[in-house]
Amino acid sequence: KQEVTQIPAALSVPEGENLVLNCSFTDSAIYNLQWFRQDPGKGLTSLLLIQSSQREQTSGRLNASLDKSSGRSTLYIAASQPGDSATYLCAASTDSWGKLQFGAGTQVVVTP
Amino acid sequence: GAVVSQHPSWVICKSGTSVKIECRSLDFQATTMFWYRQFPKQSLMLMATSNEGSKATYEQGVEKDKFLINHASLTLSTLTVTSAHPEDSSFYICSARDPQLSYRDLGVTEAFFGQGTRLTVV
């Protein structure tokens, strides 16, 4: 069974620093890997999706990499802002219909 | 991107009553939808896979008689929490993938999520 782990569980940085969030998965047979943002008490906002055949995806200040062989994905957020404070979840797609296995998330606090 | 709408966004009910949560794909047809549950400070756990026109597939440990799923049309799946108890209080969220979307390499497209439903059983 696919297991997804996120490290660290929580992270606090001053504004302007770059953020590095790690995600690891046990089964490399994934269809894709998706990064989400979740604000307290809210739903999920999709940030980036990396197909299994891709190495990375970029959107604005966000960059996500994928290394299937080592079972790792990393989300980089450049020049962090207080508005980036949220919980970030990674999820591996385990079938072609979109079933996702989630990590526990990394809670990020960016201080002004 | 595709839109998935979930209703209600929050609900409070008394113990012993039933609550229905709706999940709609607004601009695409979804033969498959997924229902997740999230307890406070925890991640999302898949409860079941909802299949249009057939029975749902439940994950291990999820009571199918308690969490009734109906996927009667290509745009609507419902989750009914029957005889709710306080321990059923949680955040429930659905997702679906637009099967018509595809990438050049025929990769699996992203899953779109509803806004979630905060259920509180008192």
Side-chain angles (χ1 to χ4, degrees), chain A residues 41-106:
Chain A
K42 303 293 184 180
L44 302 180
T45 300
S46 179
L47 298 175
L48 289 169
L49 177 142
I50 312 176
Q51 296 293 349
S52 61
S53 59
Q54 298 174 324
R55 303 272 308 176
E56 66 175 346
Q57 278 290 326
T58 298
S59 176
R61 295 185 293 113
L62 305 180
N63 174 277
S65 65
L66 176 65
D67 184 342
K68 281 182 55 179
S69 62
S70 64
R72 294 179 183 176
S73 177
T74 302
L75 177 66
Y76 301 91
I77 303 178
S80 62
Q81 303 169 359
D84 294 329
S85 298
T87 296
Y88 292 82
L89 300 165
C90 72
S93 183
T94 57
D95 71 7
S96 61
W97 288 104
K99 181 188 294 186
L100 296 176
Q101 184 69 39
F102 281 85
T106 295

Side-chain angles (χ1 to χ4, degrees), chain A residues 31-32 34 36 38 41-44 46 49 51 53 89 93 95-100 102-104, chain B residues 31-32 34 36 38 43-44 46 49 59 91 93 97 99 103 105 107-111 113 115 118:
Chain A
Y31 285 81
N32 60 42
Q34 214 166 332
F36 297 89
Q38 185 176 31
K42 303 293 184 180
L44 302 180
S46 179
L49 177 142
Q51 296 293 349
S53 59
L89 300 165
S93 183
D95 71 7
S96 61
W97 288 104
K99 181 188 294 186
L100 296 176
F102 281 85
Chain B
T31 55
T32 302
F34 300 97
Y36 297 83
Q38 184 179 35
S43 190
L44 281 77
L46 179 66
T49 302
E59 295 298 302
F91 186 69
I93 192 166
R97 185 180 74 86
Y103 287 103
D105 60 356
V108 176
T109 56
E110 63 184 302
F113 282 79
Q115 306 94 316
R118 175 74 58 190

Side-chain angles (χ1 to χ4, degrees), chain B residues 6-50:
Chain B
Q6 191 171 337
H7 178 81
S9 57
W10 62 271
V11 59
I12 301 173
C13 71
K14 292 183 177 180
S15 288
T17 62
S18 296
V19 174
K20 179 184 287 187
I21 303 170
E22 294 186 346
C23 180
R24 293 181 184 274
S25 55
L26 297 187
D27 51 1
F28 67 98
Q29 295 181 332
T31 55
T32 302
M33 292 184 177
F34 300 97
W35 287 95
Y36 297 83
R37 179 171 55 185
Q38 184 179 35
F39 291 108
K41 305 293 185 182
Q42 296 185 28
S43 190
L44 281 77
M45 298 297 294
L46 179 66
M47 297 176 65
T49 302
S50 174

